Amino acid sequence: LSAEAVASSGAPLLLTVQVPESARDMFGHMNVRHYMAVYDDAEWKLLEHLGAAPGYWQVHGLFDLAHYVEYLREVHIGDTVAVYCRMLGRSVSAKRIHFQLLMLNTTTGVVASTLQCLCMHTDLATRRSAQFPDTILGNIDALVAAHKALLWPAPPTTLTMDPNFLGELAVKLDVLLRRHRCRRAPSNSPRTSVGTRPRALTATRQRPPVR
């Protein structure tokens, strides 16, 4: 994947930043913790791009569930990096989104890193998952459709990154629990503990009389 292909693809440019001296580690390049800081700042820009106003996040949240990061090239202090986004999909429940962020080193002209992220939309009052509103959901669907036409292949979706996997897993677990409850349902016959017999059928021993 070339930096030129990404930059000219029409994928949204979320953030451009010059790597500061404070990001230097003992090996003389940008430390991995600072990659995540850049990605986190870019993710907030993505949310703005999707139509979420700043006040929206006072009552709603977006919780990251899984990350997959690739470090492809070194990024040095003073280099300028640009982060682009490719929206990969969303769950049928309209609660989770899956996207890829691509970090281009515009100083050296290479793709330096990529991040796949699976996020869950939440209601901060209940701290539980919630559906995206229709306006934001429409923007997500438009990006997914547009980004399917990008010239470079989308990354493979693993189970941990599949936005529908958790929903399917929950359904399967619910079915298994229902079957388990049916098997353990009480019958008309008296039930006893494993390894014991009903008292009426248990022989008793009497102590011999003392002489």
Side-chain angles (χ1 to χ4, degrees):
L1 177 61
S2 70
E4 183 180 1
V6 175
S8 62
S9 66
L13 171 60
L14 303 177
L15 182 72
T16 300
V17 63
Q18 186 176 36
V19 180
E21 179 63 34
S22 59
R24 185 191 299 273
D25 67 8
M26 63 182 295
F27 303 117
H29 55 205
M30 183 167 73
N31 186 264
V32 291
R33 75 178 72 179
H34 298 286
Y35 283 78
M36 296 308 299
V38 172
Y39 280 134
D40 185 59
D41 290 342
E43 186 175 332
W44 284 107
K45 295 296 183 181
L46 170 61
L47 300 179
E48 293 178 13
H49 186 80
L50 293 175
Y56 181 84
W57 301 113
Q58 295 178 6
V59 292
H60 299 282
L62 194 68
F63 295 176
D64 288 6
L65 301 177
H67 290 156
Y68 178 72
V69 186
E70 290 183 305
Y71 302 99
L72 305 173
R73 296 289 189 274
E74 284 187 296
V75 176
H76 295 282
I77 307 307
D79 287 352
T80 298
V81 296
V83 181
Y84 291 79
C85 173
R86 179 173 192 162
M87 189 64 65
L88 298 171
R90 57 105 164 166
S91 65
V92 175
S93 65
K95 297 179 180 180
R96 292 178 295 277
I97 57 174
H98 177 209
F99 57 87
Q100 182 185 38
L101 299 180
L102 301 102
M103 183 185 295
L104 276 57
N105 187 332
T106 59
T107 302
T108 58
V110 298
V111 178
S113 174
T114 66
L115 165 77
Q116 285 189 61
C117 184
L118 179 66
C119 297
M120 179 177 69
H121 185 252
T122 57
D123 181 338
L124 293 182
T126 61
R127 313 298 293 187
R128 298 183 67 85
S129 63
Q131 290 186 342
F132 283 98
D134 291 341
T135 53
I136 294 179
L137 194 63
N139 293 332
I140 292 171
D141 289 342
L143 277 182
V144 171
H147 291 178
K148 286 182 179 179
L150 293 177
L151 296 179
W152 76 83
T157 301
T158 62
L159 284 180
T160 55
M161 287 293 171
D162 186 346
N164 289 304
F165 173 67
L166 292 176
E168 293 174 358
L169 181 61
V171 171
K172 291 178 181 179
L173 288 175
D174 183 63
V175 171
L176 289 175
L177 287 173
R178 289 175 183 271
R179 290 177 180 174
H180 182 65
R181 293 192 188 105
C182 290
R183 290 174 181 174
R184 297 191 61 184
S187 61
N188 294 328
S189 59
R191 300 180 62 187
T192 60
S193 300
V194 176
T196 62
R197 291 179 293 175
R199 289 186 178 180
L201 301 179
T202 303
T204 58
R205 294 184 180 180
Q206 296 182 351
R207 183 177 299 176
V210 178
R211 294 181 180 178

